[in-house]
Amino acid sequence: MISLCQQLIITIGDSVRISIFGLGYVGCVSLGCLAELGHEVIGVDVSGFKVDLINDGKPTIVEKDIDKLIADHSAAGNIRASLDSSLSVDQTDVSIICVGTPSSEDGSLNLDFLYHCAAQIGKALRSKAGFHTIAIRSTVMPGTNRRVSQILADASGKTANEDFGVVSNPEFLREGSAVKDYFNPPVTVLGSESQRALNIMKEIYKDIKADVAETEVGVAEIIKYVNNSYHALKVTFANEVGNVCKKLKIDSHKVMDVFCMDRQLNISDYYFKPGFAYGGSCLPKDLGALVNLSESKELQAYVLSSVHPSNEYQKQIALSLIIEKSVGKNIGLVGISFKQGTDDLRYSPMVDLLQELHQQGYQVRVYDENVSLSLLIGANREYIQSYIPYLSDMLVDSLQDVFTQSDTIVISQKSPLLISLVDQHSDKKILDLVRIDSRTSNGNYVGLCW
């Protein structure tokens, strides 16, 4: 029997006593891997069959290497399983929730098991002395951490972030390589309002060689959905490329091999910054050509053909934001070319915004350090004369001028002078399409996607 004194100790720098709720796929893998990391682990489940399997030294799932981990650490006394949630919480310092979150008929997650589990842990905490950490590894939607904290507080009568802390700690395990993935994650994500709980979780994972992303709770809760949606996009994108290549008798695997060699743009963080729409003469033209090629070969490129409509929708979101948030009819645009560092206005999404605002009666002022009518030549000049002949009446000479002459400022390009001007003009409404710094929507500042 563990003494009260022993129960109050969390040995940072040594093993941590952990209870794992749910002995399904994630829970069983966590049980074996955490024991391998040197921790004392108790598995908790409502299924007596699963509990008996663990106590007999057998895993509850079929997965490479997990059978040996469970057998070895069961024999060594590092892992055991129980039906008793109260005793398991009482004898550990950290509880990790790994219960299932199945889909409901409407596609939403059913979190009943998770909330029931939180209530059980909360009841067990009523009589437990000392700080307790609860980590959510189950796949959940944003807002779950807050709800679990409230359930724990209500059930225990204790105070969140004082008597206990809840950490969102999503897992990134793939079936077939889950044990390998556990010890070699791309990143360890931890989100909590309790620094004490975060420190304890970092101690648990200290021997795993991966960067730790200590982030906001909401970020930790949504990241797995973003990851897996992108993975699904990658599979579908590659398949659509493959379908076109096969019709053209081109080796699609060689194409994607070359594609993946580009680590500057293709396989990188470039372009992965939420903001305004893309434009220019290359992306729209080449995307349209590939979609057209697919259609000419009687193929449905669902992903590729949806990119342009999504980009147009982003323009509508920006326009709606400007109309909703602008103060009066005097609007200043900072940046109008399709990309910073160029004077090319062709296929610029900012030109589309300018035209819409002009048609709706807004008085627009424009500043772009690279756009000067005296320097515009060739196709660019012809484009202006054909589509935006009124641009010359809108251009101002400096950033200061566009702030002075406008009530609402729309920013589509960054500049070293912008941040100080934004701070100086607290009377102006600032609508930021590119995120000039780390600020978030608040007061007179509104970000497009943040």
Side-chain angles (χ1 to χ4, degrees):
M1 189 73 177
I2 297 176
S3 69
L4 178 60
C5 179
Q6 287 174 315
Q7 291 175 28
L8 292 176
I9 296 174
I10 296 178
T11 312
I12 298 300
D14 203 346
S15 66
V16 179
R17 297 170 303 171
I18 304 167
S19 50
I20 295 178
F21 284 74
L23 292 174
Y25 197 86
V26 176
C28 184
V29 171
S30 299
L31 191 75
C33 292
L34 286 169
E36 181 72 5
L37 289 171
H39 305 298
E40 179 186 339
V41 195
I42 304 174
V44 187
D45 204 285
V46 296
S47 167
F49 176 69
K50 291 182 179 180
V51 167
D52 289 343
L53 279 175
I54 296 299
N55 287 330
D56 288 341
K58 299 175 183 178
T60 62
I61 60 170
V62 176
E63 175 66 34
K64 185 178 184 298
D65 298 328
I66 193 61
D67 52 346
K68 186 176 188 306
L69 287 179
I70 296 296
D72 289 351
H73 289 289
S74 177
N78 300 325
I79 62 173
R80 57 191 171 90
S82 174
L83 294 166
D84 192 332
S85 57
S86 294
L87 183 63
S88 299
V89 170
D90 192 53
Q91 294 181 351
T92 58
D93 306 303
V94 176
S95 295
I96 299 178
I97 300 177
C98 299
V99 299
T101 54
S103 296
S104 302
E105 290 185 4
D106 63 357
S108 63
L109 292 185
N110 184 336
L111 300 180
D112 290 346
F113 296 137
L114 184 138
Y115 292 147
H116 177 69
C117 179
Q120 286 184 308
I121 295 172
K123 289 177 183 178
L125 290 178
R126 287 179 185 172
S127 58
K128 184 178 186 297
F131 186 84
H132 199 81
T133 299
I134 301 92
I136 303 173
R137 295 226 83 184
S138 302
T139 302
V140 298
M141 280 290 178
T144 304
N145 185 300
R146 186 182 301 108
R147 175 77 185 278
V148 166
S149 293
Q150 189 59 57
I151 291 172
L152 288 164
D154 291 343
S156 67
K158 295 189 174 183
T159 304
N161 305 322
E162 292 183 14
D163 303 308
F164 66 86
V166 181
V167 181
S168 293
N169 174 213
E171 51 83 16
F172 306 108
L173 307 179
R174 297 168 296 173
E175 292 190 34
S177 61
V179 172
K180 179 182 177 182
D181 289 347
Y182 198 98
F183 293 122
N184 300 276
V187 61
T188 297
V189 180
L190 301 171
S192 180
E193 294 181 355
S194 168
Q195 188 60 52
R196 184 175 182 181
L198 284 172
N199 291 341
I200 291 170
M201 292 305 297
K202 285 190 288 187
E203 175 65 21
I204 288 175
Y205 296 129
K206 67 182 175 61
D207 291 325
I208 290 180
K209 306 303 181 185
D211 291 337
V212 175
E214 188 176 323
T215 187
E216 298 171 7
V217 170
V219 173
E221 289 180 312
I222 202 171
I223 190 62
K224 185 173 180 180
Y225 294 100
V226 175
N227 286 3
N228 284 345
S229 297
Y230 180 57
H231 300 160
L233 175 63
K234 288 171 71 176
V235 171
T236 308
F237 174 80
N239 287 342
E240 290 191 358
V241 170
N243 292 339
V244 175
C245 288
K246 183 173 182 179
K247 288 284 188 178
L248 299 171
K249 301 188 184 319
I250 296 171
D251 189 329
S252 61
H253 281 244
K254 290 182 178 178
V255 170
M256 295 311 292
D257 284 344
V258 174
F259 173 88
C260 291
M261 289 174 68
D262 181 353
R263 302 279 170 167
Q264 296 182 41
L265 296 180
N266 294 350
I267 312 297
S268 73
D269 60 359
Y270 205 82
Y271 294 128
F272 277 133
K273 292 291 185 289
F276 195 37
Y278 66 76
S281 58
C282 293
L283 269 59
K285 176 176 68 69
D286 292 347
L287 171 66
L290 187 56
V291 170
N292 182 265
L293 179 60
S294 299
E295 293 173 348
S296 73
K297 298 300 179 181
E298 300 181 343
L299 293 169
Q300 290 289 341
Y302 291 102
V303 168
L304 292 171
S305 61
S306 68
V307 175
H308 175 70
S310 180
N311 196 58
E312 292 300 302
Y313 180 61
Q314 192 69 357
K315 296 178 188 178
Q316 289 301 314
I317 288 177
L319 180 62
S320 297
L321 179 71
I322 294 170
I323 293 174
E324 176 190 353
K325 300 293 186 180
S326 61
V327 178
K329 287 287 187 175
N330 293 321
I331 293 180
L333 304 184
V334 178
I336 191 175
S337 62
F338 89 91
K339 183 171 68 173
Q340 190 160 348
T342 177
D343 67 349
D344 196 348
L345 303 181
R346 294 168 298 170
Y347 301 102
S348 169
M350 286 304 296
V351 169
D352 293 341
L353 276 186
L354 172 63
Q355 291 175 318
E356 286 286 347
L357 293 170
H358 178 69
Q359 290 172 9
Q360 295 192 34
Y362 286 87
Q363 302 300 313
V364 183
R365 296 290 180 268
V366 178
Y367 174 75
D368 189 315
E369 62 180 346
N370 292 303
V371 175
S372 171
L373 290 180
S374 62
L375 298 177
L376 294 175
I377 59 174
N380 212 13
R381 177 179 287 276
E382 293 174 4
Y383 175 81
I384 291 172
Q385 292 173 343
S386 299
Y387 294 99
I388 43 174
Y390 43 80
L391 178 60
S392 59
D393 296 328
M394 298 178 173
L395 288 173
V396 297
D397 295 330
S398 69
L399 269 175
Q400 184 64 61
D401 288 342
V402 84
F403 272 80
T404 302
Q405 299 177 31
S406 310
D407 299 315
T408 301
I409 309 297
V410 179
I411 301 171
S412 73
Q413 294 180 5
K414 298 181 180 181
S415 166
L417 300 176
L418 264 176
I419 296 176
S420 61
L421 281 171
V422 168
D423 292 336
Q424 291 170 21
H425 291 272
S426 58
D427 57 323
K428 309 289 184 180
K429 178 68 73 172
I430 308 297
L431 306 181
D432 187 357
L433 309 185
V434 292
R435 200 167 199 181
I436 56 173
D437 59 15
S438 60
R439 72 187 74 196
T440 55
S441 297
N442 187 29
N444 73 314
Y445 172 88
V446 181
L448 178 59
C449 311
W450 52 89

